[in-house]
Amino acid sequence: MSEYDVCVLGSFMKDLVASAERRPLPGETLHGTGFAEFLGGKGVNQAIAAARMGARTAIVGTIGEDRYGEEFLELLSANGVDASWVVRHPSLGTGVGLPLVLPDGGNSIIIVSRANAAITAADVDAATEALVASKVLSVQLELPVEASHSALRLASTAGATTILTPAPVGPVDPALAAYVDVLVPNEVEAAALTGLDCEDESQVPAIARKLAEDWDLRGCVVTLGARGAYVLDRDGGYEERIAAHQVATVDTVGAGDAFCGSLAASLAHDAPLIEAARLANAAGALSTTTNGAAASAPTHEAARSLLTLTTTQPGASPTVPPATNHPSTSRDTTQPGASADTSPAS
């Protein structure tokens, strides 16, 4: 039996979030309207989401030898995520993000990768024990491509199912793509990767098929924000559109990571892709009902309750809060699975 259900290779970002009425002009100083600190990064968010869905989870990444790094280790420990393979860089600090949030929820973000950018293929190779002992590996593109390629190769060769979130989106090395089983882009990423218009509902099936064929994938799940998700399973030979859940949205940050972490956990528990995506759709929706990203990742019980209630009572709008509340965030502002009853809070 595998030692872990899910292993995540990903980034650590301490977010220092300022709110203001507008963006400053060049050379201008503005009074802000708010400030908050959160722990985030897509890797951290996905690992915690998988753990809260009941998966035995490990994370591989790089942090600094600073107080932000200590905060991350405490967060991971509190959520039962094994951080044994997290490297602490002696001179580079933990990654930071500097988002500016406007009243309408729009944002501009500066990220400084710091220790995240220092992870090497050798660091990943040192974590081979975790990678080959996991049933599912989840990777994003916030880390150097050499590290991502090494992790995908090791896990795939060992027989793990590999998931890639192509964010931030950009050209993808074919050598890396060759080791991906399931691709999970949001609508912006899917459009960028195919050149097709994801806003056009009629194009969504063609986009999923093109990605699956071009990448030779086992499956592709395109998350569509408040429009739900589209699932294509080449192994199972089916496609399905998954409708959004009606929930009272307060914060869409990190919903995509909750979706991906939940998907990884379900696949590790041998669920078919369509069933995994349905539960992930519920998890993504629920995450929008609570502020923060990792903080908003729901438990398996909460996501299953929403999925069951929606199936038995179409149109229901339950409020099922996550069981834990640890402050965190990331730069993912999509909201897979959610159909907002209220506008997202800034």
Side-chain angles (χ1 to χ4, degrees), residues 38-345:
F38 301 101
L39 296 174
K42 298 188 74 63
V44 171
N45 296 337
Q46 290 188 11
I48 290 175
R52 290 189 182 175
M53 294 297 289
R56 298 165 301 162
T57 306
I59 187 169
V60 179
T62 308
I63 57 178
E65 291 186 348
D66 53 16
R67 67 182 180 89
Y68 294 163
E70 291 294 337
E71 290 174 7
F72 274 114
L73 294 179
E74 292 170 4
L75 175 69
L76 294 169
S77 177
N79 283 273
V81 177
D82 190 341
S84 300
W85 290 272
V86 173
V87 175
R88 303 204 68 174
H89 198 283
S91 59
L92 295 177
T94 302
V96 293
L98 305 168
L100 172 63
V101 181
L102 305 179
D104 64 359
N107 60 75
S108 300
I109 305 170
I110 296 172
I111 62 171
V112 187
S113 293
R114 305 174 87 193
N116 289 305
I119 192 170
T120 65
D123 292 327
V124 173
D125 289 344
T128 297
E129 181 181 345
L131 293 164
V132 303
S134 301
K135 297 178 70 175
V136 174
L137 171 68
S138 184
V139 175
Q140 317 83 42
L141 296 179
E142 289 187 328
L143 299 183
V145 67
E146 295 81 5
S148 298
H149 180 269
S150 182
L152 287 165
R153 175 181 56 79
L154 286 167
S156 180
T157 301
T161 297
T162 57
I163 300 173
L164 176 67
T165 307
V169 69
V172 177
D173 185 344
L176 182 149
Y179 291 108
V180 176
D181 293 318
V182 180
L183 187 70
V184 189
N186 65 22
E187 50 195 326
V188 174
E189 295 151 3
L193 290 171
T194 62
L196 301 175
D197 182 8
C198 220
E199 292 293 326
D200 183 347
E201 291 291 331
S202 66
Q203 289 293 303
V204 174
I207 288 171
R209 292 170 197 151
K210 179 172 176 56
L211 287 169
E213 292 169 5
D214 289 352
W215 289 54
D216 192 23
L217 300 167
R218 286 167 50 189
C220 181
V221 182
V222 182
T223 61
L224 300 167
R227 295 183 290 150
Y230 192 87
V231 182
L232 184 152
D233 185 336
R234 294 179 81 193
D235 280 355
Y238 60 79
E239 302 177 36
E240 182 173 320
R241 177 63 178 271
I242 302 176
H245 294 278
Q246 297 290 327
V247 296
T249 296
V250 299
D251 183 359
T252 64
V253 173
D257 294 333
F259 186 106
C260 289
S262 172
L263 186 78
S266 291
L267 291 178
H269 293 152
D270 300 320
L273 182 59
I274 185 60
E275 292 182 13
R278 288 173 184 148
L279 188 60
N281 194 49
L286 276 180
S287 76
T288 72
T289 64
T290 302
N291 287 311
S296 67
T299 63
H300 180 272
E301 292 77 12
R304 179 61 64 185
S305 293
L306 175 60
L307 183 60
T308 301
L309 181 59
T310 304
T311 301
T312 57
Q313 302 179 36
S317 302
T319 299
V320 187
T324 53
N325 185 31
H326 296 287
S328 179
T329 191
S330 79
R331 282 143 304 282
D332 184 346
T333 56
T334 59
Q335 44 180 329
S339 182
D341 294 331
T342 61
S343 299

